Amino acid sequence: AKPDPLRIMISGAPASGKGTQCELITKKYGLVHIAAGDLLRAEVAAGSENGKRAKEHMEKGQLVPDEITVMMVKEQLLQSDSLENGWLLDGYPRSLSQATALQEFGLQADLFILLEVPEEILVERVVGRRLDPVTGRIYHLKYSPPETEEIAARLTQRFDDTEEKVKLRLRTHHQNVEAVLSMYKDITIKVNGAAPKEDVFAQIDNALSKLLEQRKVTSGTL
Ligand code: AP5
């Protein structure tokens, strides 16, 4: 039988590198990337009622209420693509209630990746981050600069990427992280996220390939 697809969660403070690692992971492992922050920003951009409410919280660096976030993420996790190819859940769950909701839907992850980055690095990463609206790629003016002048000219900045707002986002992160971690102790790997992005990916890649090997052995395909 075909081994079950991977179901991975990735977590870490604001700007710890979740989105960057997700680009690399999906490229190699073909998982469906479900990013709570991206889903919320799409609602904000669409100007929907949920988007308007979400933006009020995002502006303050607070968690968007569960009635908006939980359903949005659940819907993506239950799409046939996610069920068939596996998923990579980015920025969710961020509270005990979000973690409990997943459990109640019967959705379980195989691995919980925690990116650890010292706080002084995070602020610099946020302030220098830029996004390419055409490709969706994440850049950093210093650490991951755009490849061409053409890309450089079209880069945008997120509305919550200021030093003041990242401090509020960090506070929210600290208020919730321990409770979330306690739910996933048995499946957590801690990764040093302060290293260059290729080195961070090497640590994650190693853990994922081991997991896949185990899968193949238990499903009898190896
Ligand atoms: P979200 O969009 O998830 O933001 P975040 O958690 O603050 O994380 P970021 O997207 O800022 O950073 P990242 O870890 O992806 O880092 P990146 O790879 O871009 O959430 C935004 C808001 O939405 C929240 O504040 C909240 O209001 C709401 N929300 C989201 N999820 C929610 C939920 N579940 N419930 C309720 N509300 C929710 O990297 C950052 C920069 O660093 C980039 O410029 C990158 O190029 C650079 N970089 C990355 N890795 C490295 C490296 N190894 N070395 C050097 N530079 C690097």
Side-chain angles (χ1 to χ4, degrees), residues 12-20 36-38 40-41 57-58 61-64 69 91-94 98 125 128-130 138-140 143-144 158 160-161 169 193 195-197 200:
S16 54
K18 301 181 291 293
T20 300
D38 289 349
L40 289 167
R41 277 184 291 278
H57 295 272
M58 294 166 86
Q62 295 166 349
L63 295 183
V64 172
T69 319
Y92 185 102
R94 285 192 206 224
Q98 291 184 2
R125 284 195 186 174
R129 170 167 46 197
R130 296 293 182 276
I138 305 163
Y139 290 94
H140 190 282
Y143 300 114
S144 195
R158 255 168 57 177
D160 56 350
D161 270 357
R169 282 154 62 195
K197 70 175 181 183
V200 178

Side-chain angles (χ1 to χ4, degrees), residues 39 66 87 127 141 145 188 203:
L39 294 172
D66 280 1
W87 40 260
V127 178
L141 295 179
T188 297
Q203 300 173 63

